[in-house]
Amino acid sequence: MNPRDARAADPVAAATRVALVDDHALVREGVREILESQDDMMVVSEAATSGDAIAQVARHRPDVVLLDVELPDGEPTDTVTRMRALSPDSQIIMLSMYDGPQLLRRLINAGIRGYLLKSVCGEELLAAIRSVHRGSDRMVLAVSRDSLAQMQGITENVLSARELEILELVARALSNGQISTRLVISEATVKRHLRNIFAKLGAVSRIDAVNKAIAAALISPPHDQTHHRYRAG
């Protein structure tokens, strides 16, 4: 019997494995009770900090991570990025009291699969978990109408995945030649993408493009300049 058949034959193995991350024990307890009331879900780990959560995700490789957006020791997009690097098959759903469009855009770019306000009911939470675990490419969002409207404004000139990838490397001060080598594309292609980026963002230079993309939450600031605007050399 192959592993997939074995998992299907075992109800416990077939259950969606969920990691809970929230710095409030009472919240974790409430969510755990909701999940464990379901035959097709099980909680495999709990954490109250970003550092502990990242370690738990690396160890347990859960199917779904329910991640509080406000943890005492970590910036949310960095936490998501590190989790996805260590467990790329884990689908991450953010839980938050805040639905600002810029944060939401950064988290979507980082690879989350869902963003739910903590005001959602238990049925909505369960539906979101099942949706992302089924492997669909759909994004599950439960946010305010105002936030969605502002998101549309931010993404009117949205960059393509390749353009975002190139701009992230520009933000890390890589030259066109280094970018072409990293992405295995020609330097002329890099320059063409940059022209498109400048046009979409209304930018006049590489520095201007990076700063505008960071301000619009299209890309995250470089790790060593999280609190500073990008600048040359």
Side-chain angles (χ1 to χ4, degrees), residues 10 37 43 58 62 69 72 95-96 110-111 128 133 139 181 201 212-213:
D10 183 349
S37 69
V43 176
V69 78
L95 299 178
S96 177
H133 182 48
M139 177 72 59
T181 300
L201 297 180
K212 286 184 175 180

Side-chain angles (χ1 to χ4, degrees), residues 1 12 42 60 67 103 148 163 216:
M1 181 180 294
V12 173
M42 63 183 297
H60 295 284
L67 178 61
L103 173 60
L148 285 177
E163 289 165 350

Side-chain angles (χ1 to χ4, degrees), residues 102-180:
Q102 292 195 352
L103 173 60
L104 182 53
R105 169 51 57 187
R106 289 199 303 271
L107 290 167
I108 289 173
N109 286 342
I112 66 168
R113 289 289 304 283
Y115 193 101
L116 308 179
L117 294 180
K118 288 185 176 180
S119 57
V120 299
C121 66
E123 290 183 0
E124 290 176 292
L125 175 62
L126 294 172
I129 293 171
R130 292 186 176 109
S131 178
V132 302
H133 182 48
R134 280 197 294 264
S136 168
D137 289 334
R138 294 178 180 176
M139 177 72 59
V140 179
L141 299 177
V143 297
S144 70
R145 290 179 181 272
D146 287 345
S147 185
L148 285 177
Q150 292 179 62
M151 279 283 290
Q152 290 175 351
I154 288 174
T155 58
E156 282 180 354
N157 292 320
V158 67
L159 304 180
S160 69
R162 176 62 88 184
E163 289 165 350
L164 286 170
E165 192 173 23
I166 287 173
L167 197 51
E168 291 275 6
L169 295 176
V170 170
R172 289 161 55 185
L174 270 68
S175 68
N176 289 352
Q178 290 171 319
I179 293 172
S180 68

Side-chain angles (χ1 to χ4, degrees), residues 206-216 219 228-231:
R206 296 162 71 92
I207 296 173
D208 189 32
V210 168
N211 285 335
K212 286 184 175 180
I214 291 172
I219 64 172
H228 304 279
R229 289 176 65 80
Y230 175 83
R231 57 185 182 273

